[in-house]
Amino acid sequence: MRIVVTGGAGFIGSNFIRYMLKRYPDYTLINYDKLTYAGNLDNLREVEHLPNYRFIQGDIADAGQVEQTLASCKADAIVHFAAESHVDRSIMEPDQFIRTNVVGTHRLLEAARKQGIARFIHISTDEVYGSLGAEGFFTEQTPLAPNSPYSASKASSDLLVQAYHHTYGLPVCITRCSNNYGPYHFPEKLIPLMITNALEGQPLPVYGDGLHVRDWLHVEDHAAAIDLVLHDGRAGEVYNVGGNNERTNLEVVQAILSQLSLPISSIRYVADRQGHDRRYAIDASKLRSELGWRPKYAFDEGLAETIAWYRTHTAWWQRVKDGTYRHYYELQYGSNQGAI
Ligand code: NAD
Ligand code: TYD
């Protein structure tokens, strides 16, 4: 199989490429990525020498380049990860989220339709469902009710993907996963930010009361789920992916501090995120019963391995936390470091 992976230099995309090349040594993976601040070819050093891996630098919103790439690659499938992915950045500056997540996805769908692509897997998020109260889970039937510019842009792209299936018969599947964690996670997101700040002796900024709940999924379990959907998912269907690991943010941060033998006083309660979703929790029973997906990682074990990975890959995250990252950090946290 020849697979074009968009956004393959990011966190989940690079983990997916490594997973697939290991599992299917006869497949060809073509990574099409713009290399924004979140794209990093260091994530792919292990596989860059392989003859069945290729990198093309390009923007999904560039219709001409997308069409040319699909035509020349003769791909059987597209797995579409490329996106602006960070909620806080979408609150600061939403424009790029609309351009990449909405317009870019549309350009890709259009090129896939013209090219007659046999599989189009769109990687979405549970955030399109909005926020839950204390009880209940998101199922595939939960109405879309996104709250942030990020989740609204992802929900818009989901609707375009579904419209291309309904109107043109494009063989699409949509996956909606909960919060991922694991190696090569960009340290703007909760878990890698907290681990790397802790390792640097910096304060750990927790938004609001820290009682917001996320449902954590190891990135390798996510890659295995996408593999199943790619091969056996039914066209036109949505599959939720979640690890049944609900934790409050405070529980996650306390677990990180405890594993690093650091005091709770390292936490800084800072002002809450605007429009902060209170709770996400995924019902993944469709993926389990239809496609036999079983997550491998218990959260505590996965978190311990992830902390160990950051401890042994200091050069990777120190390079990432340099330059433009510092500018972002200052904008996001600069005047927001004190207790509220
Ligand atoms: P990431 O920010 O780590 O990586 C995004 C990648 O897309 C980067 O390599 C970047 O260079 C590339 N990219 C951005 N704009 C592009 C463009 N215009 N053209 C081509 N490439 C472009 O993101 P991630 O965490 O790996 O997320 C991947 C996908 O999974 C996204 O679609 C995201 O919405 C979804 N998702 C992520 C999570 C999570 O917990 N990280 C959870 C649910 C869903
Ligand atoms: P994040 O990793 O940004 O993922 P998402 O917002 O897409 O779920 O944030 C996870 C949770 O952690 C979310 O409730 C916001 C919170 N958070 C903090 O408390 N402090 C931080 O510095 C960050 C980045 C997130």
Side-chain angles (χ1 to χ4, degrees):
M1 196 186 273
R2 290 174 68 78
I3 307 169
V4 168
V5 176
T6 71
F11 164 48
I12 309 175
S14 63
N15 276 284
F16 176 75
I17 288 176
R18 278 195 310 278
Y19 176 94
M20 292 297 283
L21 288 169
K22 202 162 162 191
R23 193 170 158 90
Y24 304 102
D26 56 327
Y27 283 15
T28 297
L29 279 98
I30 300 127
N31 175 11
Y32 183 84
D33 195 299
K34 185 180 175 184
L35 296 183
T36 66
Y37 78 92
N40 184 352
L41 292 178
D42 285 348
N43 301 3
L44 292 151
R45 292 285 170 237
E46 273 170 47
V47 298
E48 64 184 8
H49 61 282
L50 294 174
N52 54 338
Y53 166 74
R54 201 174 138 208
F55 172 66
I56 299 171
Q57 183 165 9
D59 185 344
I60 55 165
D62 178 339
Q65 196 184 358
V66 169
E67 282 185 24
Q68 193 196 351
T69 302
L70 288 194
S72 70
C73 288
K74 305 206 178 338
D76 305 297
I78 296 176
V79 183
H80 175 35
F81 294 93
E84 288 294 334
S85 69
H86 190 36
V87 173
D88 291 323
R89 290 189 193 247
S90 83
I91 294 167
M92 230 181 242
E93 233 173 302
D95 284 29
Q96 196 57 33
F97 286 72
I98 308 307
R99 185 177 180 276
T100 287
N101 301 0
V102 186
V103 177
T105 299
H106 174 244
R107 301 264 149 87
L108 202 60
L109 286 164
E110 199 46 26
R113 176 175 81 84
K114 287 186 187 154
Q115 206 55 39
I117 289 287
R119 294 300 267 162
F120 188 107
I121 312 301
H122 176 63
I123 309 303
S124 188
T125 165
D126 61 356
E127 300 190 27
V128 297
Y129 298 123
S131 184
L132 289 165
E135 311 253 302
F137 297 89
F138 296 132
T139 72
E140 289 83 358
Q141 278 71 49
T142 303
L144 303 190
N147 289 316
S148 70
Y150 162 69
S151 55
S153 69
K154 292 296 289 187
S156 308
S157 67
D158 287 18
L159 293 178
L160 282 169
V161 171
Q162 284 173 327
Y164 268 65
H165 174 70
H166 186 84
T167 309
Y168 305 111
L170 191 70
V172 306
C173 287
I174 297 176
T175 59
R176 294 190 180 132
C177 65
S178 57
N179 289 62
N180 283 220
Y181 70 101
Y184 298 104
H185 202 179
F186 194 88
E188 65 188 352
K189 308 277 168 54
L190 180 75
I191 289 186
L193 176 65
M194 297 298 154
I195 298 173
T196 55
N197 273 20
L199 292 173
E200 289 177 312
Q202 296 293 326
L204 278 60
V206 169
Y207 297 158
D209 61 8
L211 298 180
H212 304 79
V213 173
R214 297 296 183 261
D215 180 359
W216 295 95
L217 170 70
H218 194 280
V219 67
E220 207 178 303
D221 285 327
H222 187 196
I226 298 167
D227 176 10
L228 287 172
V229 173
L230 171 65
H231 287 98
D232 300 320
R234 285 185 291 132
E237 293 292 312
V238 175
Y239 294 91
N240 281 353
V241 193
N244 260 333
N245 292 306
E246 283 185 60
R247 299 284 187 284
T248 65
N249 295 335
L250 260 186
E251 284 169 334
V252 171
V253 174
Q254 282 165 355
I256 292 168
L257 287 173
S258 144
Q259 292 200 26
L260 292 171
S261 304
L262 289 167
I264 294 296
S265 58
S266 310
I267 294 174
R268 291 283 181 283
Y269 288 95
V270 299
D272 209 350
R273 172 186 280 173
Q274 287 170 271
H276 198 170
D277 284 343
R278 193 63 174 171
R279 175 172 168 259
Y280 303 144
I282 275 269
D283 177 344
S285 51
K286 178 176 174 183
L287 183 69
R288 287 172 180 263
S289 63
E290 262 191 36
L291 302 183
W293 178 73
R294 296 281 173 277
K296 232 176 56 184
Y297 282 89
F299 182 66
D300 294 342
E301 166 211 355
L303 184 64
E305 268 188 34
T306 303
I307 293 172
W309 188 87
Y310 280 88
R311 285 185 113 149
T312 52
H313 289 74
T314 336
W316 179 86
W317 58 262
Q318 281 179 343
R319 244 194 323 273
V320 169
K321 277 188 127 178
D322 231 4
T324 53
Y325 179 90
R326 286 189 192 288
H327 177 63
Y328 161 75
Y329 198 85
E330 191 51 35
L331 281 178
Q332 176 66 15
Y333 300 98
S335 58
N336 194 13
Q337 290 282 342
I340 49 172

